[in-house]
Amino acid sequence: AAGVIQSPRHLIKEKRETATLKCYPIPRHDTVYWYQQGPGQDPQFLISFYEKMQSDKGSIPDRFSAQQFSDYHSELNMSSLELGDSALYFCASRPSLGTPHEQYFGPGTRLTVT
Amino acid sequence: AQKITQTQPGMFVQEKEAVTLDCTYDTSDPSYGLFWYKQPSSGEMIFLIYQGSYDQQNATEGRYSLNFQKARKSANLVISASQLGDSAMYFCAMREGPGSSASKIIFGSGTRLSIRP
């Protein structure tokens, strides 16, 4: 079965650089979520999109922005990177109607800021 | 306020034994969903089991079952006949709102389960 695809899987950036993370949801999933998981922590919700519109916003820094495109893939843009942005970034998707109720997570992008 | 509480930071269990991972939650929404995810050392987040607040029966998926006690606001995960491959971090999570809701899910702090051969 198709799963959520995230690219790149690993990314190393220096402080003050920018990064773009991409997420391709499972086919027919129109809702996408982004989560950030710091070392030894639980995932924290950043932002979500439904039908290309932002549906909810969590603890996402102003330096970050995201959007969902017409093919439902989503991109998380991160600027002025800080050491504290080093984390595992997950994208998850689900269909807005019917089951399943669970969010399916991608493999994550591990971002290291040096 | 912490809405998902996992009080066991780490657990050691002998292979083939059953194990219960504790989870309590807090919400004022009558409609919600509870999830368990497994995160092995490789990092991916694997969905295990789901329980809706209005589901009459406890959810089961293979060796996983969810002991849902609504009045006590607990949703413990039971893994029967544990295997070495069950060693991982386990997160309890909750979504407020009905199943059709696009609401985010919030996670507990996790329990690291280690299976001894």
Side-chain angles (χ1 to χ4, degrees):
Chain A
V4 177
I5 297 171
Q6 289 188 247
S7 68
R9 294 291 308 276
H10 301 272
L11 190 59
I12 300 175
K13 291 286 185 178
E14 293 187 356
K15 282 195 307 183
R16 292 180 288 278
E17 286 192 323
T18 61
T20 297
L21 310 186
K22 296 185 179 183
C23 168
Y24 298 86
I26 292 171
R28 292 179 293 282
H29 284 197
D30 53 8
T31 306
V32 168
Y33 307 80
W34 285 96
Y35 294 85
Q36 176 193 58
Q37 185 179 26
Q41 298 180 2
D42 56 285
Q44 296 291 317
F45 171 73
L46 291 177
I47 196 167
S48 62
F49 293 89
Y50 163 64
E51 280 292 340
K52 293 152 278 184
M53 300 271 291
Q54 180 183 306
S55 57
D56 198 1
K57 195 172 181 180
S59 49
I60 183 170
D62 292 340
R63 300 178 288 108
F64 294 6
S65 65
Q67 58 181 326
Q68 186 180 32
F69 295 86
S70 57
D71 63 351
Y72 296 109
H73 94 271
S74 178
E75 295 184 4
L76 178 66
N77 299 294
M78 310 159 72
S79 63
S80 302
L81 287 169
E82 302 174 356
L83 295 178
D85 296 329
S86 295
L88 188 55
Y89 290 83
F90 286 106
C91 170
S93 75
R94 57 159 287 178
S96 59
L97 298 175
T99 56
H101 299 303
E102 61 270 21
Q103 295 177 17
Y104 286 89
F105 281 72
T109 293
R110 190 171 295 278
L111 172 67
T112 302
V113 181
T114 62
Chain B
Q2 184 72 28
K3 293 198 171 186
I4 298 285
T5 302
Q6 295 181 252
T7 57
Q8 306 153 310
M11 287 186 70
F12 287 89
V13 172
Q14 204 68 29
E15 191 180 7
K16 298 187 180 65
E17 289 184 349
V19 57
T20 298
L21 305 182
D22 295 340
C23 173
T24 57
Y25 61 92
D26 184 31
T27 180
S28 57
D29 197 321
S31 182
Y32 53 89
L34 297 158
F35 308 80
W36 278 92
Y37 286 87
K38 171 184 178 182
Q39 187 175 40
S41 57
S42 52
E44 69 264 38
M45 195 70 75
I46 302 167
F47 166 75
L48 295 178
I49 198 166
Y50 167 81
Q51 180 85 41
S53 58
Y54 293 117
D55 292 343
Q56 295 296 314
Q57 294 189 327
N58 286 347
T60 60
E61 290 285 350
R63 294 186 299 111
Y64 305 107
S65 60
L66 200 152
N67 184 1
F68 181 45
Q69 298 189 40
K70 196 169 183 177
R72 296 180 59 188
K73 293 189 174 179
S74 76
N76 298 339
L77 176 71
V78 180
I79 305 174
S80 62
S82 57
Q83 303 170 356
L84 296 178
D86 294 333
S87 294
M89 180 71 88
Y90 288 79
F91 289 100
C92 179
M94 178 175 70
R95 180 213 65 240
E96 291 180 316
S100 58
S101 165
S103 296
K104 62 183 181 291
I105 58 177
I106 55 173
F107 291 82
S109 55
T111 295
R112 184 167 297 282
L113 177 64
S114 300
I115 307 298
R116 293 186 175 126

